[in-house]
């Protein structure tokens, strides 16, 4: 219920500058960023600025996949290919150039990128879905994704140590990534894409976010309830995905809600136990 029971920080955030990791050190939360991107999209739906089942091609100009909706981006059922893979195809992208969200949208049409599967026929976890959601947020708010996230979520919730990594702005100041050998990992051509990743935050800030999301006034109940429904039931099993949230659905009816992340040298985990009122970050 928001009271910190256990908290621990250890290690070095920046080895070259000998900066220790503390409660105020923003660290790359990788795909846990998807939970925040989904929340921003849901806030826009809550305000009737877009529809959950609105076709993406009615929001983004020249979007070439007519059946993809906001919901199928959120629940990974769009059928889009992963941009990290299709940009490796011959002649699609010069990997000496930094890729952006707009570049991904352009490549869909310029390089005639085909869907991996028919929309809404199967679950396939794919970073491209959330890169497109970031572009939707930009289009609807008329702000850059970093500014929109700051205005909609970070500032109102007092998440003062949270920001979206901007390639030209934070290269020298962001906590770097390291290999297990302590060798610093270089940035690559995929590091400017946001929405699917690239939020830097702290456990304390994510706790503020989690508490806000649980508040009954944050989203309309009907919309909030749809976050925690599993949408992929083609194959019997306990693993499923809601709207920006992974889940394990036990036969008892109880759900285990979480999201993990991995990018370069960073791994992250966000677990929200609704029934118990417990959050693990």
């Amino acid at each position: 219920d928001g009271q910190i029971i256990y908290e621990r920080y250890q290690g070095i955030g920046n080895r070259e500058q000998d900066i220790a990791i503390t409660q105020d050190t923003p660290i790359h939360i990788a795909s846990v960023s998807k939970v925040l991107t989904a929340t921003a999209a849901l806030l826009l739906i809550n305000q009737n600025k877009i529809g959950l089942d609105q076709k993406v091609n009615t929001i983004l100009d020249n979007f070439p996949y007519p059946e993809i909706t906001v919901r199928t981006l959120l629940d990974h059922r769009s059928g889009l290919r992963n941009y990290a893979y299709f940009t490796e195809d011959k002649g699609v992208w010069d990997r000496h150039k930094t890729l952006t969200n707009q570049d991904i949208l352009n490549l869909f049409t310029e390089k005639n990128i085909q869907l991996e599967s028919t929309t809404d026929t199967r679950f396939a976890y794919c970073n491209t879905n959330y890169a497109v959601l970031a572009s939707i947020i930009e289009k609807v708010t008329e702000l850059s994704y970093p500014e929109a996230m700051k205005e909609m979520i970070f500032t109102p919730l007092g998440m003062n140590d949270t920001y979206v990594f901007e390639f030209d702005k934070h290269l020298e100041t962001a906590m770097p990534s390291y290999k297990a050998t302590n060798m610093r990992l270089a940035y690559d051509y995929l590091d400017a894409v946001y929405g699917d990743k690239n939020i830097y935050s702290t456990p304390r800030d994510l706790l503020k976010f989690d508490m806000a999301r649980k508040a009954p006034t944050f989203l309309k109940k009907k919309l909030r309830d749809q976050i925690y429904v599993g949408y992929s039931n083609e194959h019997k099993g306990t693993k499923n995905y809601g709207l920006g949230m992974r889940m394990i659905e036990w036969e008892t009816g109880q759900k285990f809600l979480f999201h993990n992340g991995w990018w370069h040298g960073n791994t992250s985990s966000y677990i929200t136990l609704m029934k118990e009122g417990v959050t693990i970050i």
Side-chain angles (χ1 to χ4, degrees):
D1 298 320
Q3 178 187 346
I4 297 172
I5 315 171
Y6 176 81
E7 184 178 31
R8 185 182 180 198
Y9 304 91
Q10 64 184 88
I12 306 298
N14 185 311
R15 295 181 182 280
E16 292 80 10
Q17 298 175 31
D18 197 29
I19 298 172
I21 295 171
T22 72
Q23 67 185 37
D24 306 316
T25 308
I27 291 175
H28 200 311
I29 61 171
S31 282
V32 174
S33 302
K34 290 183 174 74
V35 185
L36 287 90
T37 300
T39 302
L42 290 162
L43 285 168
L44 293 175
I45 294 163
N46 202 57
Q47 296 162 12
N48 296 317
K49 292 184 177 177
I50 52 173
L52 182 55
D53 293 305
Q54 184 173 351
K55 299 286 180 69
V56 174
N57 66 1
T58 66
I59 306 168
L60 297 177
D61 299 333
N62 304 316
F63 189 77
Y65 314 107
E67 297 307 313
I68 293 179
T69 63
V70 174
R71 189 193 297 268
T72 59
L73 295 175
L74 286 164
D75 64 14
H76 293 290
R77 296 179 62 82
S78 69
L80 285 169
R81 288 185 66 198
N82 192 324
Y83 66 81
Y85 303 149
F86 72 67
T87 52
E88 290 186 343
D89 292 350
K90 189 176 180 182
V92 171
W93 186 254
D94 176 1
R95 284 179 283 160
H96 296 98
K97 288 165 58 182
T98 304
L99 187 74
T100 68
N101 290 57
Q102 186 58 49
D103 290 326
I104 293 170
L105 295 178
N106 295 344
L107 290 173
F108 288 156
T109 49
E110 289 173 7
K111 300 297 181 180
N112 192 26
I113 305 298
Q114 298 297 301
L115 292 177
E116 197 162 59
S117 60
T118 304
T119 299
D120 207 19
T121 58
R122 70 182 184 93
F123 170 82
Y125 183 85
C126 176
N127 286 340
T128 312
N129 292 315
Y130 277 74
V132 174
L133 280 168
S135 295
I136 289 173
I137 291 164
E138 291 185 324
K139 181 71 183 284
V140 175
T141 62
E142 298 182 344
L143 297 168
S144 68
Y145 172 80
E147 280 299 317
M149 295 301 286
K150 186 177 177 183
E151 192 171 292
M152 294 171 68
I153 296 177
F154 306 157
T155 299
L157 302 187
M159 297 170 68
N160 300 324
D161 295 313
T162 301
Y163 66 92
V164 177
F165 176 83
E166 294 177 75
F167 202 79
D168 298 330
K169 188 175 176 182
H170 299 117
L171 270 180
E172 301 304 319
T173 56
M175 289 299 117
S177 295
Y178 296 90
K179 294 182 180 179
T181 57
N182 295 336
M183 183 182 288
R184 187 166 174 165
L185 276 163
Y187 290 105
D188 64 36
Y189 79 102
L190 300 172
D191 274 308
V193 178
Y194 44 56
D196 56 329
K197 61 181 188 309
N198 266 351
I199 291 177
Y200 281 65
S201 191
T202 66
R204 287 194 172 206
D205 274 5
L206 288 173
L207 177 61
K208 291 175 184 176
F209 167 77
D210 182 68
M211 295 304 294
R213 272 216 348 165
K214 287 175 180 169
T217 53
F218 194 63
L219 293 170
K220 291 170 188 165
K221 185 182 185 302
K222 185 181 175 185
L223 182 59
R224 190 174 73 244
D225 288 348
Q226 291 183 76
I227 299 171
Y228 308 113
V229 173
Y231 291 96
S232 298
N233 303 303
E234 304 80 53
H235 305 290
K236 185 168 171 57
T238 56
K239 291 180 180 178
N240 216 316
Y241 202 96
L243 303 180
M245 185 65 74
R246 285 191 183 275
M247 61 185 69
I248 298 171
E249 299 178 298
W250 285 305
E251 289 180 3
T252 59
Q254 189 171 0
K255 295 180 182 182
F256 180 76
L257 304 167
F258 69 102
H259 213 297
N260 294 331
W262 166 76
W263 187 250
H264 296 329
N266 306 282
T267 55
S268 56
S269 196
Y270 162 71
I271 301 155
T272 181
L273 307 177
M274 307 291 270
K275 189 177 169 186
E276 296 84 354
V278 170
T279 310
I280 303 165
I281 300 156

